[in-house]
Amino acid sequence: EDRRGSVVPGLTVEQNLAVFARLYRAPDVPAAVDRALDIARLRDRRKDAVAELSGGMRRRLLLARGLVHDPELVLLDEPTVGLDPQIRTQLWTLIDDLRTAGSTILMSTHYIEEAERLADDVAVMTAGKVIAQGKPRDLIREHAGERTVEIYGPPHELDSHREKFGMAGVSVRAAGPAIAVLAAEQAPRELIPDHAVDRAASLEDVFVKLTGEDAE
């Protein structure tokens, strides 16, 4: 077994899946392998040795391995960590296909965009405790409003803006080289400079507001 990925690198893709299909006692091993290959979109690589796969394909194989017995519940622990954006998007599509097909998926992730895009229900955790839970859109509306405005500038200007918004009772958070004004639709318009960038509020706004941590 390859400790880096829980697959046997000397076997082919379909041989790896067949091993796990037998371990999971799938009633029809060839059919289970074909289904898993289709889910992970690896049918055309079925005869390839695992050692020949790219990192993204290997991650898709790992997902297929966990689905080879058609489980009702799928547990995913940071399934896209360390992947480049293109491969991450491919895995998002696979996960969303599973969700749409009716699988129940419990997934941990540090990628806030991933949770916002894929999850029907989100639990925000810090220090091992759930501090907020609900549908992404509901959490955003409750904690960050409809719009977020980002203001860029030198530190002394941002400090001045932050102070003014604070005096007006408006929530502001750090956003890298900027500050983000939450629920900006409720903020006094005269406090928002013309060069500010307006965008939809996001789950990242909620996460940082509730935890005080930076999201990846």
Side-chain angles (χ1 to χ4, degrees), residues 6-87:
S6 299
V7 290
V8 184
L11 299 182
T12 66
V13 169
E14 70 176 353
Q15 286 171 337
N16 269 277
L17 291 175
V19 168
F20 282 93
R22 292 187 178 93
L23 289 174
Y24 286 129
R25 301 174 191 248
D28 186 336
V29 170
V33 169
D34 285 343
R35 175 183 173 277
L37 288 169
D38 286 339
I39 290 175
R41 301 179 185 182
L42 287 172
R43 184 178 278 268
D44 61 340
R45 306 304 296 268
R46 65 188 304 155
K47 298 297 184 181
D48 292 359
V50 171
E52 299 173 0
L53 299 180
S54 67
M57 288 183 180
R58 182 174 291 216
R59 194 69 62 89
R60 281 154 56 190
L61 174 58
L62 288 172
L63 185 59
R65 185 207 68 186
L67 300 171
V68 73
H69 58 306
D70 194 18
E72 295 182 5
L73 174 64
V74 180
L75 305 179
L76 300 176
D77 182 18
E78 299 189 30
T80 64
V81 67
L83 298 179
D84 65 46
Q86 181 180 12
I87 298 174

Side-chain angles (χ1 to χ4, degrees), residues 19-216:
V19 168
F20 282 93
R22 292 187 178 93
L23 289 174
Y24 286 129
R25 301 174 191 248
D28 186 336
V29 170
V33 169
D34 285 343
R35 175 183 173 277
L37 288 169
D38 286 339
I39 290 175
R41 301 179 185 182
L42 287 172
R43 184 178 278 268
D44 61 340
R45 306 304 296 268
R46 65 188 304 155
K47 298 297 184 181
D48 292 359
V50 171
E52 299 173 0
L53 299 180
S54 67
M57 288 183 180
R58 182 174 291 216
R59 194 69 62 89
R60 281 154 56 190
L61 174 58
L62 288 172
L63 185 59
R65 185 207 68 186
L67 300 171
V68 73
H69 58 306
D70 194 18
E72 295 182 5
L73 174 64
V74 180
L75 305 179
L76 300 176
D77 182 18
E78 299 189 30
T80 64
V81 67
L83 298 179
D84 65 46
Q86 181 180 12
I87 298 174
R88 184 180 300 143
T89 300
Q90 292 173 2
L91 277 183
W92 284 355
T93 299
L94 296 182
I95 293 169
D96 191 53
D97 287 346
L98 289 172
R99 181 177 66 94
T100 302
S103 296
T104 298
I105 302 171
L106 181 61
M107 179 177 69
S108 66
T109 180
H110 280 89
Y111 295 115
I112 308 303
E113 183 184 6
E114 184 165 87
E116 185 171 348
R117 285 192 179 194
L118 296 178
D120 295 306
D121 190 85
V122 170
V124 179
M125 299 184 66
T126 184
K129 295 181 179 179
V130 174
I131 57 173
Q133 185 171 355
K135 297 181 182 301
R137 186 67 255 172
D138 292 343
L139 289 174
I140 293 169
R141 187 177 299 111
E142 177 182 355
H143 298 285
E146 296 293 334
R147 309 297 303 174
T148 295
V149 166
E150 293 185 350
I151 303 173
Y152 293 80
H156 69 278
E157 288 187 11
L158 296 183
D159 288 342
S160 176
H161 286 301
R162 183 189 291 272
E163 182 178 356
K164 291 176 182 178
F165 283 112
M167 292 177 64
V170 178
S171 295
V172 176
R173 73 168 182 87
I179 57 172
V181 181
L182 306 185
E185 70 276 5
Q186 301 175 19
R189 188 66 221 179
E190 65 272 13
L191 295 183
I192 300 176
D194 293 338
H195 64 272
V197 178
D198 182 271
R199 62 169 173 80
S202 70
L203 197 60
E204 179 177 318
D205 293 321
V206 176
F207 179 84
V208 178
K209 177 183 179 182
L210 294 180
T211 68
E213 302 173 18
D214 291 329
E216 291 187 15

